[in-house]
Amino acid sequence: MTRSSRLLCALYVATSTGLAWTAVLELRYGPLWAAAVFAGASAVPLIAVVRETVIADQRAVAARRRAPVRPSRAPAATGAADALVRAELDAACCERWWTSLGSDHDAGCARRVPRSSAA
């Protein structure tokens, strides 16, 4: 996130806080409809903060895609990570098991446990 977007987010939060405080004051001393209007208006700057963070994330992803891919300089660390991933993938038994988070198996899967009809 750039410095200007951080400043903009800080201004959005300050505006939202001011509107929320105004809503509280209107709830205490003013008409109820004005309190509802200020409460709704205090949510709008928070939506803008979320939008700014999403834009910053999209910019970071685009920058990573444009960056050239460099080979890793720590082969031992990637070798251990590759071995761990390979072991986890080898432990998976079938496609349906993998996509159903371990709750179902394919009909021809060797690890398939038949379901009992007993209730």
Side-chain angles (χ1 to χ4, degrees):
M1 192 180 272
T2 63
R3 197 177 315 164
S4 62
S5 23
R6 284 190 194 121
L7 176 65
L8 193 58
C9 284
L11 288 173
Y12 285 147
V13 169
T15 303
S16 181
T17 304
L19 287 168
W21 177 246
T22 305
V24 169
L25 291 177
E26 284 296 320
L27 186 62
R28 287 184 181 172
Y29 306 112
L32 187 59
W33 65 267
V37 168
F38 282 114
S42 68
V44 174
L46 297 179
I47 294 169
V49 169
V50 171
R51 181 180 167 270
E52 286 293 324
T53 56
V54 167
I55 288 172
D57 290 343
Q58 289 174 347
R59 285 181 182 162
V61 168
R64 274 189 247 131
R65 286 183 182 164
R66 285 190 305 255
V69 178
R70 295 184 194 122
S72 175
R73 295 185 181 199
T78 57
D82 288 342
L84 180 65
V85 169
R86 177 58 46 205
E88 289 295 325
L89 287 175
D90 289 342
C93 55
C94 62
E95 179 73 22
R96 184 175 291 161
W97 179 86
W98 187 261
T99 57
S100 67
L101 301 173
S103 62
D104 292 329
H105 290 275
D106 286 336
C109 182
R111 295 185 188 176
R112 181 174 185 235
V113 177
R115 291 185 179 167
S116 144
S117 63

